[in-house]
Structure formats: structure tokens, C-alpha cells
Amino acid sequence: MPWADMNEKVHFSEAKMVKAALFESPRLLCDVYCLLPGQSQKTHVHDNIDKVYVVQTGTATVILGDEERELKPGQSAFAPAGMPHGLRNDSREQATLLVFQAR
């Protein structure tokens, strides 16, 4: 589908961070990540995929290689293919991020 309403996709789970798909093609993935306080995405690497995190609500700590930075709404981070990356919600509020992956 060429249209998506991110607000309809946002939901949270006590069990783990939620990844809700917005768009997918052979070259691009676009998800909304929903993290409750204390939830995280383990640091990992994609050999052939670039990733962009864009904070929409709350705050999220993004890990890129050996660097960590707390991002607020409207701020973003880029993890090129081969760079270890991950994120966590260290705050007391829910956080949502748009996440783009290019293959």
C-alpha cells in the first residue's frame, strides 16, 4: 500500500519492543518501533542494510558503534551497513521511532 497512518500502528507490549511495519519493498523497509521504559533493541549489525532511526515521541538512546546518544523528537541517527547499532528507552515515558532500512 502506498499510504500508512503511523498512529494506527503504534502499540506497546510489556513483553518486548514492538516493530510495526508501515512499508516494505525489495529495497526499503519502514517500521515504527514502540518502546516502553526499559525496553531495548540489542546491538547488532547488518552487513548489507543501512538504517535510519528518527525519534517521533519520547526519548531514545541510540547506539552507533562505540557511541551512545539520547535523541529527542525530530532527531535522527544513521547506521551504515556494517556498523553495530541498537537502541534503548532509558526514560520513564513511552518512545516511538520511525525506522528506515535500505537494502
Side-chain angles (χ1 to χ4, degrees):
M1 281 191 123
W3 311 101
D5 184 342
M6 186 180 92
N7 296 318
E8 291 178 359
K9 299 287 188 167
V10 170
H11 67 279
F12 297 87
S13 169
E14 292 289 334
K16 64 179 182 174
M17 176 190 86
V18 172
K19 288 187 198 180
L22 295 174
F23 302 104
E24 183 173 351
S25 79
R27 296 170 308 283
L28 178 73
L29 295 172
C30 179
D31 297 320
V32 58
Y33 287 11
C34 308
L35 295 94
L36 291 170
Q39 291 182 331
S40 63
Q41 177 188 50
K42 188 194 266 188
T43 300
H44 61 286
V45 176
H46 301 286
D47 291 331
N48 299 311
I49 297 173
D50 295 333
K51 185 180 280 188
V52 175
Y53 295 104
V54 182
V55 176
Q56 297 295 298
T57 65
T59 59
T61 300
V62 177
I63 300 104
L64 297 177
D66 294 330
E67 188 175 354
E68 295 184 6
R69 222 177 254 195
E70 184 179 88
L71 302 181
K72 297 177 183 175
Q75 295 181 317
S76 59
F78 172 61
M83 175 178 277
H85 59 279
L87 76 143
R88 63 179 186 270
N89 182 354
D90 293 329
S91 78
R92 294 182 180 178
E93 299 178 4
Q94 299 173 338
T96 59
L97 297 89
L98 280 176
V99 180
F100 301 89
Q101 296 182 75
R103 307 176 201 175

